[in-house]
Amino acid sequence: MEDHELLAKIRDPETRNYGFNLLVRAYQQRIYWHVRKMVIDHDDADDVTQETFIKVHKHIEGFRQDSQLYTWIYRIATNECLSFLERKKRRFFLPIGDVAGELSSKLDSSPHITGDEIQMKLQKALLKLPDKQRLVFNMKYFDDMSYEEISEITNTSVGALKASYHHAVKKIEEYLSPE
Amino acid sequence: MKKLEDIPKKTIFEVPDGYFDKLPSAIQARVASKQPVLSPRFSYALRFAVPALVLALVAVIWFRPSTQPKTAEDILAGIQTEALIDYLANSEMRLEEMINASDFSEEDVAAIEGAVYDIQLDDEVLDGLADDYDFELND
């Protein structure tokens, strides 16, 4: 179903719930995996994903369609991820290094994470990056999004995004290289 | 140096079985729990009923007939004559105090004087009164 059809169903009070259900089913996996790569833990990703769609439901009447629906939802999910990580830092009064350490330990202990050694090492390398740089890297490397799409979501210039991504790749490669 | 492009692109994350089947209903349940308690129809009526009620109350208070203060005659007319006599008889005020405390208008004074001096006494009645009181007139 096209975005405009989905929106029409949601904005009609008779079909609002049905339309919103269709929207969730259409975008839940993409949003969940985007969130999961940032927060690592499944239960946290579940919370953040649900909060994202609740915000979508709350604000969809005001969606002006000046961007694609997916871009708008992705932007909400991105903000929810960053807010979640920021709250995590404040809650435990930990500097960023310790939060990264906590997320890194989740990679080792979580029942819903499996991967070979190099994949685990890559994820731990990513956790060394600042949250926003990690975000850009995930969208470019894992989601294969264009710089223009990422620019629309993060409200950052394409040039800045390119620089951020190439810098992230360099840091990861240094981390992965044997000493 | 290990190159990123040499590493296979894989996800290491997994989800519990059936997670995405249950996620939409979990979200719908949370959305429903955040809905307002009032039904849209009731809240719509309330939105207009309350301002209308306030306006009606203001109109009632603003346009109610004002009660004019009663005159002294109106007040006295409502009191039994016997009660007035008893009050005056038992009052410790002397006549002069009562008169001084009263606020008589010109009309009131004229009416009182007229009531006093309009007594029609002829000479025969006056003579009778003089005999009763044992004094002579025109001394």
Side-chain angles (χ1 to χ4, degrees):
Chain A
M1 190 176 286
E2 298 286 332
D3 282 354
H4 69 274
E5 291 174 294
L6 261 179
L7 285 167
K9 284 199 184 300
I10 292 169
R11 284 170 176 161
D12 180 355
E14 297 285 323
T15 55
R16 183 176 174 86
N17 287 341
Y18 173 64
F20 182 68
N21 199 275
L22 289 175
L23 180 147
V24 172
R25 289 184 185 280
Y27 293 113
Q28 63 175 343
Q29 293 205 38
R30 277 181 284 180
I31 296 302
Y32 171 85
W33 291 118
H34 170 60
V35 170
R36 181 71 187 274
K37 284 195 286 289
M38 286 301 295
V39 305
I40 307 301
D41 179 70
H42 164 69
D43 291 330
D44 291 340
D46 180 40
D47 280 344
V48 174
T49 301
Q50 291 198 33
E51 280 301 320
T52 297
F53 281 107
I54 287 166
K55 282 213 164 81
V56 166
H57 185 272
K58 187 178 175 186
H59 297 291
I60 198 150
E61 293 289 341
F63 174 55
R64 293 188 300 275
Q65 295 178 257
D66 49 3
S67 64
Q68 285 198 353
L69 183 58
Y70 176 59
T71 305
W72 181 68
I73 298 172
Y74 217 89
R75 195 183 299 143
I76 294 172
T78 299
N79 287 335
E80 286 296 307
C81 284
L82 293 174
S83 298
F84 171 82
L85 291 168
E86 195 56 37
R87 283 195 305 272
K88 206 175 183 63
K89 283 178 222 168
R90 280 202 304 267
R91 196 180 305 139
F92 297 106
F93 302 102
L94 296 173
I96 183 171
D98 289 325
V99 170
E102 187 193 324
L103 294 178
S104 187
S105 69
K106 282 188 189 286
L107 285 172
D108 293 325
S109 61
S110 175
H112 300 299
I113 296 175
T114 58
D116 55 30
E117 188 185 338
I118 191 68
Q119 296 295 336
M120 293 293 267
K121 210 167 176 185
L122 172 60
Q123 288 296 328
K124 290 187 180 184
L126 288 174
L127 290 172
K128 299 283 184 191
L129 301 174
D131 289 340
K132 286 185 182 173
Q133 190 174 40
R134 182 159 63 102
L135 194 79
V136 171
F137 180 88
N138 282 340
M139 285 194 276
K140 183 76 186 122
Y141 180 77
F142 288 109
D143 298 342
D144 286 322
M145 294 177 83
S146 68
Y147 284 117
E148 287 71 23
E149 283 175 307
I150 301 171
S151 171
E152 209 177 335
I153 289 163
T154 61
N155 204 28
T156 308
S157 70
V158 169
L161 290 170
K162 283 181 180 176
S164 173
Y165 179 74
H166 287 290
H167 194 215
V169 169
K170 194 174 171 190
K171 283 200 276 189
I172 290 165
E173 286 175 347
E174 283 172 2
Y175 182 82
L176 292 176
S177 298
E179 292 177 14
Chain B
M1 184 185 284
K2 190 81 176 176
K3 289 286 189 188
L4 189 62
E5 62 204 27
D6 296 333
I7 300 171
K9 223 182 266 189
K10 281 189 211 174
T11 180
I12 61 170
F13 302 110
E14 295 174 346
V15 290
D17 290 340
Y19 171 71
F20 290 114
D21 294 328
K22 297 172 193 165
L23 183 59
S25 53
I27 292 168
Q28 288 279 25
R30 285 183 68 174
V31 163
S33 71
K34 288 179 187 293
Q35 295 289 349
V37 175
L38 293 175
S39 71
R41 192 178 301 171
F42 183 71
S43 66
Y44 183 83
L46 208 61
R47 201 181 305 156
F48 291 98
V50 169
L53 191 63
V54 168
L55 280 172
L57 276 170
V58 167
V60 164
I61 293 165
W62 188 264
F63 294 113
R64 69 178 176 196
S66 58
T67 54
Q68 297 289 338
K70 288 184 177 178
T71 61
E73 288 90 353
D74 293 332
I75 296 169
L76 282 173
I79 303 173
Q80 297 279 345
T81 306
E82 291 77 13
L84 276 174
I85 292 169
D86 284 339
Y87 170 74
L88 290 171
N90 293 319
S91 172
E92 293 182 0
M93 285 177 75
R94 293 185 300 172
L95 179 61
E96 292 82 357
E97 288 172 338
M98 286 186 196
I99 292 169
N100 290 336
S102 300
D103 184 20
F104 293 113
S105 65
E106 291 290 329
E107 289 80 14
D108 292 334
V109 170
I112 291 167
E113 286 182 346
V116 170
Y117 298 114
D118 277 349
I119 295 174
Q120 300 295 325
L121 296 172
D122 56 20
D123 289 340
E124 186 180 347
V125 173
L126 282 171
D127 287 341
L129 284 171
D131 290 338
D132 285 341
Y133 289 98
D134 196 25
F135 63 84
E136 290 183 358
L137 289 170
N138 300 318
D139 276 345

